[in-house]
Amino acid sequence: MCVVCFVKALVHVFKIYLTANYTYNFRSWPVDFRWDDVRAAGGAGGGHRALTCAAAVAGVWLLRGAALGGDAPGRPPRGARSQAQCLLQQIRELPGQLASYTLAHSLGRWLVYPGSMFLMTRALLPLLQQGQERLVERYRGRRAKLVARDGNEIDTMFMDRRQHPGSHGRGLRLVICCEGNAGFYEMGCLSAPLEAGYSVLGWNHPGFGGSTGAPFPQHDANAVDVVVKYALHRLHFPPAHVVVYGWSIGGFTATWATMTYPELGALVLDATFDDLVPLALKVMPRSWKGLVVRTVREHFNLNVAEQLCCYPGPVLLLRRTLDDVVSTSGHVRPLPSGDVEGNRGNELLLRLLQHRYPVVMAREGLAAVTRWLRAGSLAQEATFYARYRVDDEWCRALLRSYRARREDEQEDEQKDWGPHGLAFPWLVGQDLSPRRRRQLALFLARRHLKNVEATHFSPLEPEDFQLPWRL
């Protein structure tokens, strides 16, 4: 064997050994960052406003509504119920709670987060190894172990483009990627922003890849919390330069992160949904409806729309027109081309616009946007838009005029602005005619949602990854 061949073989063996170490020895990997390192560092955070975010300092929390133990309709308020009534109610609910817990920690978890199954991880191990090697060699990725508040170890990979940000300066922005229920950063949604030239931080859900724990909502929130802190206080990205990108079920952690850290610069949601309940009911037997609803609400309450409305920054929704996973349409798979009426991203957009622009989205505006959402192609969308003769410049000028007037009023009243300027909701459109309200509603809908002709699991093309619209 010649010397050159021997060196090549040695390098190949070393690469295999290095990749194997990446996978199997991550548990012995030293901890790079802990969730409480922010407080341990005192005030040396470069002036990031996220340091003073009450939700982050006080601890990880989740939104919990009436569906999670609040006073249900027809039930007397808790203060009006006697101790004996409460005890009897708890006894009556005990069998349902046990059945819900059993379903959630067995079949339910495997259905909601199939990527946490050991067999799937073993089957995908060669692809995960190749993905890690590609990120390290081609993009100089840096792997790090983070410890969340609950003790789970979170496996992350960071690709830094700040030294060579590109002509548009994209490398100065960090995209935090939140994967789907069967996605890993080694082969997941981070490829689109990475190939588009952004700095990227990928992480695996608890129980996925090298991350420990189980992927329940509370553990997921703890995980993304330490990931955001790591980006701000160890990687030293300004909050305004951080974009959170969530694909599919990753929309839950993405909206949780931006809700908890409203200073973050932007949010992009790709092929995600408003709530898990309609999708769970679609795949489970009808006779299980009560148990399914209870199990989702108590153990997998992925209330994406509710969290989304708590974020005041720029938002872009990517709706995949061939997506049959987040669709509640009754069609047999595969979904017919252009059939987007049952896509749960529609409800997500309507909830967002109704929260931010309640006057515009009343009656005429809501009806116009609902009809516009049925357009399943760019040609249909453009035709519908032209039919209403929407004047983009007029809409933009009206919104800017309203913002300037309200900011002047707030300045006179000495009110504090939000991290993204004038806080929502905006009551713009009160003096407009029904025709003008429809035009403004369509303008806002088109700026917040973009159609992508792709299936749910198709990799997003780099040119389709865009930052949200800003006024």
Side-chain angles (χ1 to χ4, degrees):
M1 179 184 291
C2 66
V3 176
V4 176
C5 294
F6 175 76
V7 171
K8 287 183 178 180
L10 190 62
V11 170
H12 180 68
V13 170
F14 179 74
K15 285 182 179 180
I16 295 176
Y17 174 76
L18 182 63
T19 305
N21 270 353
Y22 247 63
T23 303
Y24 297 113
N25 293 343
F26 189 67
R27 290 191 176 183
S28 60
W29 193 286
V31 174
D32 297 276
F33 185 83
R34 291 178 50 86
W35 65 273
D36 54 357
D37 283 351
V38 177
R39 281 189 278 179
H48 295 333
R49 293 182 60 189
L51 269 173
T52 61
C53 178
V57 174
V60 166
W61 54 277
L62 299 176
L63 284 178
R64 296 184 181 273
L68 292 177
D71 296 325
R75 180 187 296 181
R78 289 184 177 181
R81 298 199 297 264
S82 67
Q83 187 174 0
Q85 286 177 321
C86 291
L87 180 60
L88 289 174
Q89 183 67 26
Q90 291 175 0
I91 293 174
R92 282 196 295 266
E93 293 180 352
L94 184 59
Q97 290 176 348
L98 292 176
S100 175
Y101 180 88
T102 303
L103 177 61
H105 288 77
S106 56
L107 178 63
R109 198 189 101 182
W110 298 334
L111 289 175
V112 179
Y113 290 98
S116 64
M117 296 175 61
F118 176 76
L119 291 178
M120 175 171 282
T121 302
R122 294 294 299 176
L124 294 176
L125 188 57
L127 295 177
L128 298 181
Q129 291 176 336
Q130 293 175 13
Q132 285 181 348
E133 184 177 353
R134 181 179 68 92
L135 294 176
V136 172
E137 292 187 353
R138 184 182 300 181
Y139 299 103
R140 298 182 180 179
R142 299 206 315 259
R143 201 181 191 194
K145 177 190 284 188
L146 316 183
V147 177
R149 179 181 295 269
D150 51 18
N152 286 336
E153 298 173 350
I154 307 304
D155 186 4
T156 69
M157 182 72 76
F158 171 54
M159 279 64 66
D160 194 351
R161 298 285 185 78
R162 285 176 290 188
Q163 295 299 323
H164 305 284
S167 58
H168 299 287
R170 291 180 174 180
L172 299 177
R173 293 183 179 273
L174 175 68
V175 179
I176 298 178
C177 297
C178 302
E179 298 289 346
N181 63 355
F184 302 79
Y185 71 70
E186 293 90 341
M187 45 180 287
C189 66
L190 61 72
S191 61
L194 187 60
E195 294 178 14
Y198 294 93
S199 295
V200 174
L201 176 59
W203 62 281
N204 281 333
H205 294 284
F208 284 56
S211 298
T212 62
F216 287 95
Q218 184 67 64
H219 298 165
D220 247 358
N222 293 335
V224 76
D225 176 65
V226 73
V227 169
V228 172
K229 289 177 178 178
Y230 175 67
L232 297 178
H233 307 297
R234 178 59 58 84
L235 303 180
H236 302 294
F237 278 89
H241 288 185
V242 176
V243 179
V244 184
Y245 171 41
W247 170 61
S248 189
I249 211 170
F252 170 75
T253 47
T255 53
W256 187 92
T258 50
M259 171 188 70
T260 307
Y261 295 85
E263 295 86 354
L264 298 183
L267 172 64
V268 179
L269 296 178
D270 177 15
T272 191
F273 50 86
D274 59 325
D275 189 23
L276 186 61
V277 169
L279 299 175
L281 292 175
K282 183 184 74 169
V283 299
M284 299 298 287
R286 290 187 179 182
S287 59
W288 289 26
K289 180 178 179 180
L291 179 60
V292 169
V293 172
R294 178 169 194 155
T295 302
V296 170
R297 290 303 182 207
E298 292 185 353
H299 301 280
F300 299 105
N301 189 38
L302 306 182
N303 47 348
V304 178
E306 188 178 4
Q307 294 182 158
L308 174 62
C309 292
C310 295
Y311 174 59
V315 174
L316 176 63
L317 307 180
L318 300 178
R319 183 180 66 169
R320 303 191 177 206
T321 58
L322 303 178
D323 193 338
D324 58 2
V325 174
V326 297
S327 174
T328 52
S329 294
H331 295 287
V332 179
R333 296 185 179 187
L335 197 68
S337 178
D339 185 2
V340 294
E341 193 169 349
N343 192 298
R344 299 308 299 185
N346 300 342
E347 299 299 323
L348 200 57
L349 176 69
L350 293 176
R351 287 280 299 273
L352 177 65
L353 294 183
Q354 286 176 314
H355 167 73
R356 293 191 169 190
Y357 309 97
V359 176
V360 176
M361 290 299 294
R363 290 193 294 266
E364 303 90 357
L366 177 61
V369 173
T370 302
R371 288 193 294 270
W372 174 80
L373 285 170
R374 296 171 187 164
S377 67
L378 293 178
Q380 293 176 357
E381 179 185 331
T383 301
F384 189 90
Y385 202 71
R387 184 189 308 166
Y388 281 86
R389 299 179 181 180
V390 181
D391 186 344
D392 290 356
E393 290 302 321
W394 175 83
C395 294
R396 202 174 286 112
L398 178 67
L399 293 170
R400 287 173 177 169
S401 174
Y402 174 85
R403 181 181 62 183
R405 185 174 70 255
R406 292 291 297 130
E407 287 178 347
D408 290 341
E409 293 173 359
Q410 286 193 0
E411 189 172 351
D412 294 338
E413 297 171 4
Q414 297 182 345
K415 291 184 178 180
D416 293 332
W417 296 353
H420 297 276
L422 182 64
F424 293 105
W426 288 15
L427 302 181
V428 61
Q430 292 176 320
D431 301 327
L432 297 179
S433 65
R435 182 177 67 88
R436 285 298 194 182
R437 285 188 186 179
R438 283 192 289 265
Q439 292 175 342
L440 185 56
L442 289 173
F443 171 82
L444 292 169
R446 202 178 190 188
R447 295 302 177 277
H448 287 83
L449 183 140
K450 175 188 174 185
N451 281 321
V452 178
E453 189 173 350
T455 63
H456 186 80
F457 297 104
S458 301
L460 188 70
E461 296 296 330
E463 57 270 19
D464 288 328
F465 181 84
Q466 300 175 4
L467 296 186
W469 167 74
R470 293 176 183 270
L471 183 60

